Amino acid sequence: MIVFAGQGDARRSMSLLWRSAESGGPAAKPGPKPGLDVDTIVAAGVAVADEQGMAALSMRAVGTRLGRTAMALYTYVPSKSELVDLMHDRVLAELPTEYDTGAGWRPAITAWADDAWAFYQRHPWVLQVSQARPVLGPNEYARLETVVRILGGIGLGPLHVRRVIAALFQFVRGMALVATEHRQAAPETGVPDEEWWAQRSALVAEFAPDFSERFPALAALESTASLAAMAEAGAGRAASHMEQEAREAFRVGLDLILDGVEAAARTDSDGTLHASAGTP
């Protein structure tokens, strides 16, 4: 399920996000029922999405959680579209905005990526809010500002920095989505990972007895990598095998990306123009 942000009334949504005078300041003006305001509604929406997923989010579900009708919410938040924007920007406020760069940019950006990973695991529904049209709220900009401050002085040109940041954001988001899907697969389908893989692995062996001959490089890699992964996995880990593999792939992939950024920064410092910094 993909939800596109910014689908509500543009002026009303931006007013609520940035809490201008016309939106009533930090909390909406008192409405017909006391104890209800924008912040309370947004918090309830986040709770619904955290507990039940984005598919369960509706104005009615939020109203029920608050002991109100859906109609009562519209005094404060015009529709579900604006609510999604507000929820998305609200939870982004959890992310740190300051990182120590005393030891260099790389430890700082690694800490940022780890915090982003943990954030997505706490709020997996955020991964269903498309980034094709960003929310453009203050906390979204604060998150971007944080990364720009970390990477802005490493010696890359502005366009190169912007593309590195885009790659980092999408890599962390993509790998977090993989881990989240692995976590959700068993409860959503009712079939544990071990059972699913055991059944289908046996069927691959039955229907493709020549698998190793047809795919020799893959078979050789898997035979050794699987043993290494089993040896690496410690006893008592709470995460499933596939979820843990996604976490380890995230770590390896992040290191490779940052290795590339370091190499690019060194090259740029020598005055060499990168092809990736040219016209898109």
Side-chain angles (χ1 to χ4, degrees):
M1 177 183 181
I2 297 176
V3 176
F4 287 95
Q7 296 304 294
D9 178 82
R11 175 168 293 278
R12 182 61 171 151
S13 183
M14 295 298 283
S15 173
L16 287 167
L17 282 165
W18 292 88
R19 299 303 170 90
S20 67
E22 68 183 83
S23 71
K29 296 177 182 178
K33 291 195 176 183
L36 200 60
D37 55 37
V38 173
D39 291 331
T40 300
I41 293 168
V42 173
V46 170
V48 170
D50 282 348
E51 295 171 12
Q52 303 175 49
M54 183 62 83
L57 181 68
S58 68
M59 297 298 277
R60 177 178 292 181
V62 175
T64 298
R65 188 177 189 92
L66 294 171
R68 302 288 199 275
T69 65
M71 289 299 297
L73 308 186
Y74 294 133
T75 301
Y76 308 92
V77 179
S79 73
K80 177 182 172 181
S81 294
E82 288 87 359
L83 178 60
V84 169
D85 290 355
L86 292 166
M87 289 167 51
H88 187 274
D89 202 65
R90 165 70 67 84
V91 294
L92 287 178
E94 298 176 11
L95 290 168
T97 57
E98 298 291 337
Y99 289 90
D100 183 6
T101 57
W105 65 267
R106 183 160 181 161
I109 208 67
T110 299
W112 167 84
D114 286 339
D115 287 339
W117 174 279
F119 166 79
Y120 286 129
Q121 304 313 305
R122 291 196 304 274
H123 304 294
W125 58 269
V126 173
L127 296 166
Q128 294 176 287
V129 180
S130 172
Q131 296 298 287
R133 295 178 177 178
V135 170
L136 304 181
N139 293 316
E140 191 165 64
Y141 280 112
R143 176 173 66 160
L144 185 58
E145 172 78 7
T146 298
V147 182
V148 171
R149 284 203 307 267
I150 295 173
L151 296 178
I154 65 175
L156 296 177
L159 184 56
H160 207 170
V161 169
R162 190 172 74 181
R163 289 172 176 168
V164 166
I165 291 172
L168 283 168
F169 269 81
Q170 294 308 317
F171 171 75
V172 175
R173 180 184 174 89
M175 292 306 301
L177 177 60
V178 172
T180 297
E181 289 176 346
H182 282 312
R183 181 185 302 168
Q184 294 173 341
E188 289 288 334
T189 64
V191 180
D193 283 348
E194 294 77 8
E195 181 181 337
W196 189 93
W197 280 103
Q199 182 185 48
R200 279 159 178 76
S201 295
L203 291 173
V204 169
E206 177 183 343
F207 292 114
D210 59 343
F211 183 91
S212 296
E213 288 73 34
R214 293 175 65 183
F215 310 104
L218 177 59
L221 174 65
E222 286 303 308
S223 65
T224 53
S226 295
L227 290 174
M230 291 174 63
E232 184 182 80
R237 282 186 175 175
S240 70
H241 169 68
M242 296 306 298
E243 186 181 344
Q244 185 61 37
E245 279 294 292
R247 182 70 172 95
E248 296 303 325
F250 164 75
R251 172 58 54 209
V252 170
L254 180 63
D255 283 341
L256 290 173
I257 291 174
L258 298 186
D259 286 345
V261 174
E262 281 189 331
R266 286 195 300 270
T267 304
D268 272 2
S269 67
D270 292 336
T272 302
L273 177 66
H274 291 276
S276 60
T279 303

